[in-house]
Amino acid sequence: MKKLILTANIFLLILITSVIAQQDTSNTPTMDPKAATYFNNAVQNLQNQKYEVVVAYADSSLQIAKDYKTYMLKGDALIKLNKYAEAKDAFNASLMLNKNEAAYNRLANSQLLLKEYDDAIATYEKVLQMSQNAEMKKKAQESIAFVKNTKAIEFFNKGNELSKENKFDEAIKNYNMALSINDKDARTYYQKGLTLSKMNKEDEAESVLKKATETDNSFDLAYIALAGLQTKKGAYDNAVKSYEKVIEVSKNENLKAAAKEGIGRTYIVVGNADYKAKKYDKSIEDFNKSIANGSSESAYLGLAKSFIEKKQYENALKSLDSVVVYKKMITDGAINYYKGLIYFNKGDNKKAVEFFTAGLTDATYKKACQSQIDFIKAKEKGAKPK
């Protein structure tokens, strides 16, 4: 939802034309002739977009005779000059003389521009109640809907600003106010969900983000946020489904690629959890799913470890060779350590020691590699390993 900027070219704004001036000269015998001259000059200058001159002529006319049409004319020019408070006063003055639909409509426009939303709604409702014109009623209804939406956007924008300032409770209040006006706006649910997540209210955040996707089932960003939250909560199957939904509905190729990577990362987490639980067949399945969604050194390393536990050493070696191909974060020490384990389990102590020795240069794996070397040497000497 883009931040709304109101301008003088407001929704359904109505301006007086020269036709009114012609009618006034013939149909308003009570207007003083000199006041009518000023009035007609004001109308002419309104057509020529000389708004300061319009106000001057209108004031001159009003000094001679108070007429509701002159006040409306002055108000129209003041709107164009962005003097909304003065325009509102002019329209109110017009209504004091003659309570008509046109003046109420103009008053509501000025109230909207002043962000007096509740007052604008109430004034448009007066137009709706008093008008006998079907088209005017329709426009009044559209205007009321427009103002309500504008008010909701104001709350939405304020909520975003407060959330950026880490004023989360106040942000949530503004999102709730926006939703109380328009409960069909997916982006408000989305921003509220992100804010709740920042507050570590994961359950509430998940519920609200789901509401965003229910309101708009093609809202790819909401699915991405939902997947991240579900991963954080350990709901990995749900996270994968949310990422898959992004791939299904999004038209953004970069976002679809990010979702695919998200699936890959999620299966690595699941695979590591299954490996830790000694569910090696399941972990192999998980790591292969990760690789299917984007080759990853971490997935290949996890696959190698699982194959070692299953005594599938050739598959383990192939996986470690793939780690070398994609290696960015995995160190040579890790690769050498696990290759050493493979050859040790295969009974090739010489090659095992070779890899364990290469792994000694890695601070993380140095102790483990040295322990394995000592074990092999002690075993070869017939000593009881420590």
Side-chain angles (χ1 to χ4, degrees):
M1 185 185 293
K2 296 182 179 179
K3 188 169 183 178
L4 183 72
I5 301 175
L6 296 173
T7 67
N9 188 23
I10 197 64
F11 185 68
L12 298 178
L13 186 61
I14 302 173
L15 294 179
I16 295 177
T17 65
S18 59
V19 174
I20 295 176
Q22 293 169 0
Q23 291 173 342
D24 287 328
T25 57
S26 60
N27 297 329
T28 55
T30 57
M31 181 181 284
D32 182 279
K34 191 172 182 181
T37 299
Y38 284 127
F39 176 85
N40 289 330
N41 284 336
V43 171
Q44 186 63 44
N45 279 282
L46 185 67
Q47 290 178 318
N48 296 329
Q49 300 181 8
K50 297 179 180 180
Y51 304 119
E52 293 281 4
V53 179
V54 173
V55 173
Y57 274 122
D59 282 339
S60 295
S61 179
L62 289 168
Q63 285 178 2
I64 300 168
K66 306 298 183 187
D67 186 273
Y68 78 97
K69 293 180 293 297
T70 309
Y71 277 116
M72 282 198 292
L73 184 64
K74 178 181 177 181
D76 288 336
L78 288 167
I79 287 286
K80 286 295 187 179
L81 293 169
N82 300 326
K83 296 180 178 180
Y84 308 135
E86 293 179 48
K88 185 179 77 169
D89 290 341
F91 297 135
N92 272 320
S94 176
L95 287 164
M96 291 291 291
L97 297 171
N98 185 307
K99 299 189 185 306
N100 63 91
E101 297 170 15
Y104 275 121
N105 194 65
R106 287 166 164 78
L107 175 61
N109 288 334
S110 63
Q111 289 166 330
L112 174 56
L113 288 163
L114 289 166
K115 299 185 179 182
E116 297 172 353
Y117 300 125
D118 292 336
D119 290 342
I121 291 170
T123 305
Y124 280 127
E125 286 176 343
K126 286 183 180 178
V127 176
L128 187 61
Q129 292 166 6
M130 69 186 300
S131 179
Q132 300 300 314
N133 183 288
E135 184 63 23
M136 182 67 78
K137 282 180 173 289
K138 180 183 176 182
K139 288 183 178 180
Q141 289 172 330
E142 290 174 349
S143 296
I144 289 169
F146 177 81
V147 177
K148 287 182 177 179
N149 186 57
T150 302
K151 187 178 178 182
I153 291 172
E154 287 284 311
F155 283 122
F156 172 83
N157 290 334
K158 186 62 177 178
N160 290 346
E161 292 171 7
L162 290 166
S163 187
K164 288 178 182 178
E165 296 171 2
N166 297 327
K167 297 177 180 178
F168 301 132
D169 288 328
E170 295 177 52
I172 294 298
K173 288 179 183 178
N174 277 271
Y175 292 135
N176 287 339
M177 289 297 294
L179 290 169
S180 71
I181 298 168
N182 180 9
D183 64 354
K184 302 299 182 185
D185 188 71
R187 288 189 177 274
T188 303
Y189 287 115
Y190 170 68
Q191 292 296 148
K192 180 182 176 181
L194 294 182
T195 302
L196 286 167
S197 181
K198 292 177 185 177
M199 299 168 75
N200 296 317
K201 295 183 177 182
E202 284 87 1
D203 291 340
E204 289 182 60
E206 183 178 12
S207 177
V208 173
L209 287 171
K210 283 182 178 178
K211 187 67 176 177
T213 61
E214 290 167 5
T215 305
D216 179 0
N217 61 12
S218 65
F219 195 177
D220 47 14
L221 285 175
Y223 285 114
I224 283 281
L226 188 57
L229 185 60
Q230 289 165 333
T231 300
K232 183 180 177 182
K233 292 179 64 180
Y236 302 118
D237 290 342
N238 290 335
V240 169
K241 289 178 183 177
S242 294
Y243 281 128
E244 288 174 343
K245 194 68 178 177
V246 175
I247 296 171
E248 176 188 337
V249 304
S250 182
K251 296 179 181 179
N252 186 319
E253 293 302 321
N254 291 332
L255 207 57
K256 291 168 75 170
K260 190 173 182 180
E261 290 174 7
I263 294 173
R265 289 193 304 272
T266 302
Y267 277 120
I268 288 174
V269 175
V270 176
N272 286 332
D274 285 332
Y275 176 83
K276 188 176 181 180
K278 298 184 179 181
K279 299 177 181 178
Y280 303 122
D281 288 331
K282 182 64 166 58
S283 67
I284 289 170
E285 180 184 336
D286 296 330
F287 290 127
N288 275 322
K289 285 181 179 179
S290 175
I291 291 166
N293 284 280
S295 300
S296 164
E297 55 183 335
S298 297
Y300 279 117
L301 181 61
L303 197 58
K305 291 162 63 178
S306 298
F307 280 134
I308 290 172
E309 296 296 337
K310 293 287 291 181
K311 297 183 171 50
Q312 297 179 21
Y313 301 125
E314 292 306 314
N315 286 335
L317 284 171
K318 289 178 182 178
S319 298
L320 287 172
D321 288 340
S322 295
V323 174
V324 174
V325 172
Y326 296 104
K327 181 167 67 70
K328 292 181 180 178
M329 302 296 293
I330 304 299
T331 64
D332 289 333
I335 297 169
N336 288 323
Y337 172 73
Y338 286 109
K339 281 192 173 183
L341 281 183
I342 292 170
Y343 284 106
F344 173 72
N345 288 322
K346 290 176 69 175
D348 190 341
N349 288 343
K350 181 179 178 181
K351 205 156 186 69
V353 169
E354 178 184 327
F355 281 108
F356 286 136
T357 301
L360 292 173
T361 58
D362 189 306
T364 301
Y365 287 89
K366 180 178 181 179
K367 186 176 180 179
C369 287
Q370 186 62 60
S371 178
Q372 292 292 337
I373 292 169
D374 293 344
F375 182 89
I376 292 170
K377 288 182 176 180
K379 188 176 180 181
E380 288 176 344
K381 290 179 179 179
K384 186 178 181 180
K386 295 181 181 179

